[in-house]
Amino acid sequence: MCKIKELQGKKFKKIELELLIPAIIITLAFFIIPPLEIFPMEVTLVLFLLFIFMMFVIAIIAFSDKKVHKKLEKLSKQLNTRCWILAADTPFPQEYLFDLENGYIYGAFALNPSAIQRIDLREVEDVEIIYTAHRIAPLKQWTINLTEKVDVENTLGEKNDAIVSGIVCQIRFSHGTESICQWHDRKVRHLPIGHQSELAYRENALKLKKLILDLKKVAQVKRNEKVN
């Protein structure tokens, strides 16, 4: 069985600082110490090797999508329930597994590889879909609480091709919020507002909100059954 870390009254820990802080310190030392010219060449060589090693590790993490996904795929088979896996749209891999029969959400993160984490969706208070948008020139930003697909058109107008946007699902608990970036626009493959694919992203976001709230009810029923 995969190692599962149960979270009660806590948020997902997406970054393991014990791994990140040494990488930051070594990187800073590599750029600061050699120019001082008060340390032996051996120190510079060691720092250089450590720096190369850390860059290699970060590169592995950055392209570890398949490894993170395989962890949750393996877990889904072990749970032997109906599951659905969602990959967040982030630079470093983040994936979430929804247990559709028991009302749990599991998280696997490249920057915290030690264990898969689990939260009981019974603890959910509310779910919001946040549509963020900005125009580069002139600089202007919008934050829209998406309740229907037309919310964006009502605020920004239809068929706007000058705005870069994104969608974040915010799950609110009593102890804080969990943000899952579902999609953000790319300059390389830009989707103007009103594009068919852009509308599909919004529709999927609203479906995710409904799914989480439905799973909250599933979790409440399941846990009440155990109590009784």
Side-chain angles (χ1 to χ4, degrees):
M1 186 72 177
C2 297
K3 183 180 178 183
I4 307 294
K5 185 175 182 180
E6 190 79 30
L7 302 179
Q8 292 183 341
K10 295 181 181 179
K11 299 173 61 175
F12 282 124
K13 189 176 181 182
K14 300 179 181 180
I15 299 175
E16 185 62 65
L17 294 179
E18 287 79 359
L19 296 176
L20 189 62
I21 290 176
I24 294 173
I25 292 174
I26 291 169
T27 301
L28 291 175
F30 174 72
F31 286 101
I32 293 173
I33 292 178
L36 296 179
E37 297 182 354
I38 57 176
F39 294 93
M41 180 61 69
E42 290 80 0
V43 174
T44 301
L45 180 60
V46 169
L47 285 174
F48 174 73
L49 294 175
L50 288 173
F51 176 73
I52 295 299
F53 174 74
M54 294 309 303
M55 293 301 101
F56 177 72
V57 170
I58 290 173
I60 291 176
I61 291 173
F63 298 100
S64 61
D65 303 63
K66 290 183 179 179
K67 185 176 180 181
V68 172
H69 185 73
K70 282 182 178 179
K71 286 174 69 175
L72 288 186
E73 269 195 332
K74 182 179 179 182
L75 174 64
S76 68
K77 293 175 182 177
Q78 292 173 342
L79 291 175
N80 196 27
T81 62
R82 291 187 302 115
C83 299
W84 177 62
I85 297 175
L86 169 68
D89 192 357
T90 51
F92 294 104
Q94 296 180 9
E95 292 205 9
Y96 301 86
L97 182 146
F98 292 87
D99 184 337
L100 304 179
E101 294 184 7
N102 298 294
Y104 290 109
I105 178 174
Y106 297 81
F109 311 99
L111 289 177
N112 190 356
S114 57
I116 296 173
Q117 302 168 56
R118 184 175 85 169
I119 291 179
D120 191 340
L121 289 176
R122 183 179 53 170
E123 301 175 24
V124 172
E125 291 190 343
D126 196 11
V127 180
E128 291 182 330
I129 301 299
I130 307 299
Y131 189 99
T132 60
H134 71 273
R135 179 182 287 134
I136 297 175
L139 183 62
K140 190 172 182 180
Q141 296 184 348
W142 298 266
T143 300
I144 303 166
N145 191 335
L146 190 67
T147 57
E148 297 180 3
K149 285 199 291 182
V150 294
D151 292 340
V152 174
E153 279 78 359
N154 290 339
T155 305
L156 304 177
E158 295 182 0
K159 306 294 183 182
N160 196 321
D161 60 356
I163 292 174
V164 178
S165 53
I167 297 175
V168 175
C169 174
Q170 287 189 346
I171 309 173
R172 189 160 65 244
F173 301 91
S174 59
H175 52 272
T177 60
E178 290 291 348
S179 293
I180 303 176
C181 181
Q182 290 183 257
W183 169 76
H184 70 269
D185 205 354
R186 305 290 205 290
K187 291 181 181 179
V188 178
R189 299 180 62 186
H190 175 60
L191 292 179
I193 292 171
H195 187 281
Q196 185 176 358
S197 296
E198 193 264 354
L199 290 172
Y201 282 119
R202 280 190 256 163
E203 185 174 3
N204 289 336
L206 293 171
K207 287 179 180 177
L208 177 60
K209 175 179 178 177
K210 183 180 183 304
L211 172 67
I212 294 171
L213 293 176
D214 287 345
L215 289 179
K216 174 185 177 179
K217 296 176 185 177
V218 170
Q220 289 173 333
V221 171
K222 283 286 184 179
R223 261 41 109 219
N224 287 336
E225 283 179 356
K226 287 186 178 181
V227 172
N228 296 331

